[in-house]
Amino acid sequence: MANTIAYTPEEVAKILKISRFTVYEFIKRGELTAYHIGRKLRIEAADLEKYMNNAKGTNSIAAPPAAQTANVSLAAQDGLIIYGQDAVLDVLTRHLEKQMPQVRSLRCFNGSMDGLIALYRGTANLITTHLWDGDTGEYNTPYVRHLLPGQRALIINLVYRYEGFYVAPGNPKNIKNWPDLLRSDIRFINRERGSGARVLLDEKFQQLKLDPRAIPNYSQEETSHLAIASAVARGDADVGLGIEKAAMQVQNVEFIPLQKERYDLVMLRHDLEKPHFQALMSILRSPIFRNEIAGMGGYDVSQMGDIMAEL
């Protein structure tokens, strides 16, 4: 026992390159074995290795970016490597696996820019993005053009959702808009570079001719909307930026809407001919799937499945 290696959920999250909330979800579902020491959770190295070995044989796993390139490329050819964090993707994957159980789908919980780069490199074939361009006021298309040079791509709407501030109930610091983040009495928590929320923040500050690096705690980062909302709920930060849906899932957080954003899927156009991509489009346009997502709250499904751009 003295030589047993045990990790915290945060350490496992870093190893797998996912958020710690995803680790907690694996533990809750019984996919990853953990135990308590007092109020703290620990995961033994042997159990983590067992989970990773088991995950290699399942249909839907959180695929770490450090996975071997050959294996990821093979899966991208024969199945689906999906980049994105939103819970809508969990529902979409479930519907796809019911319709085509032979298709292997792997999930990677990285941000929008990482997804586009993975699509360009061939280590993903379906990614989500919500990158706002301050020069054009447009979502996603400018980034797809620049990060997929020479590639023919389709941009398909998944949902619209609101991006805004998470604050304590009653908004005691009276935080209302972007310049408020510069106040010395505000503790901010940021998203990681390449995420849609981080890009939105930086682009808004560029428009206002303000330096985002002047925001207190600008370098303090978390890797998911839920993690940001949780930090505000715990009192570790006064404000963070994320989507409305996460605020609906975390107690003791109030949401201040700032901008309606377009959350899109991006794929290469030649993939659309494949049966599992045809099935995907059919699901996106089905009333059953649309009603299920609308019933979750926090999403506008009015253009779900619409092709927003063909590049």
Side-chain angles (χ1 to χ4, degrees), residues 50-307:
K50 181 180 178 181
Y51 164 77
M52 294 173 70
N53 288 333
N54 289 340
K56 292 176 183 177
T58 62
N59 282 338
S60 180
I61 65 172
Q68 294 182 11
T69 302
N71 291 337
V72 172
S73 296
L74 180 61
Q77 293 172 14
D78 299 337
L80 283 174
I81 303 287
I82 305 173
Y83 270 62
Q85 297 183 348
D86 200 290
V88 172
L89 293 174
D90 297 328
V91 183
L92 179 60
T93 300
R94 173 165 52 80
H95 277 259
L96 183 62
E97 289 173 354
K98 283 184 178 180
Q99 189 165 329
M100 301 192 73
Q102 74 278 13
V103 174
R104 187 183 186 199
S105 60
L106 308 177
R107 284 284 301 282
C108 185
F109 294 82
N110 278 28
S112 295
M113 281 195 178
D114 285 343
L116 285 170
I117 292 169
L119 187 61
Y120 178 71
R121 290 177 173 170
T123 55
N125 48 23
L126 184 67
I127 67 99
T128 56
T129 180
H130 57 117
L131 295 168
W132 184 72
D133 177 51
D135 291 333
T136 63
E138 187 175 3
Y139 268 97
N140 302 326
T141 303
Y143 293 89
V144 174
R145 289 186 187 279
H146 286 95
L147 293 177
L148 296 178
Q151 305 299 307
R152 302 184 69 193
L154 290 175
I155 303 175
I156 302 158
N157 182 243
L158 186 55
V159 293
Y160 284 82
R161 56 191 194 178
Y162 273 98
E163 192 92 23
F165 290 151
Y166 304 131
V167 297
N171 192 10
K173 294 291 184 77
N174 196 30
I175 302 166
K176 295 181 178 180
N177 217 321
W178 305 101
D180 290 330
L181 301 182
L182 295 170
R183 286 164 37 191
S184 60
D185 64 323
I186 298 297
R187 295 171 302 154
F188 179 66
I189 186 165
N190 209 351
R191 282 296 304 275
E192 78 282 6
R193 292 180 182 273
S195 66
R198 176 68 165 264
V199 169
L200 178 63
L201 171 71
D202 291 345
E203 288 286 281
K204 287 292 184 180
F205 266 69
Q206 184 179 42
Q207 278 193 335
L208 295 168
K209 294 181 170 53
L210 299 172
D211 186 353
R213 293 171 298 178
I215 298 173
N217 297 331
Y218 177 79
S219 61
Q220 182 180 350
E221 299 175 353
E222 283 287 358
T223 57
S224 73
H225 299 292
L226 279 173
I228 297 291
S230 178
V232 174
R234 295 192 309 269
D236 292 343
D238 297 311
V239 60
L241 182 65
I243 61 170
E244 181 181 16
K245 181 62 177 177
M248 297 166 64
Q249 296 172 284
V250 177
Q251 293 182 344
N252 299 319
V253 167
E254 188 172 307
F255 183 72
I256 301 173
L258 293 172
Q259 181 156 312
K260 192 172 186 178
E261 67 175 18
R262 208 178 80 204
Y263 189 59
D264 291 334
L265 294 165
V266 183
M267 67 174 74
L268 298 181
R269 289 177 66 177
H270 62 75
D271 280 335
L272 187 59
E273 302 172 359
K274 299 177 181 178
H276 45 295
F277 282 90
Q278 288 291 312
L280 176 79
M281 294 299 295
S282 175
I283 291 166
L284 290 173
R285 292 168 176 172
S286 71
I288 292 175
F289 179 73
R290 179 173 293 193
N291 290 338
E292 183 172 353
I293 300 305
M296 294 167 62
Y299 300 111
D300 175 353
V301 299
S302 59
Q303 289 190 276
M304 178 181 283
D306 290 355
I307 296 176

Side-chain angles (χ1 to χ4, degrees), residues 5-26:
I5 299 174
Y7 300 110
T8 66
E10 290 76 12
E11 289 170 333
V12 171
K14 289 180 180 179
I15 292 170
L16 296 179
K17 300 293 193 297
I18 58 178
S19 82
R20 69 174 183 270
F21 289 94
T22 303
V23 175
Y24 290 134
E25 184 63 24
F26 290 159

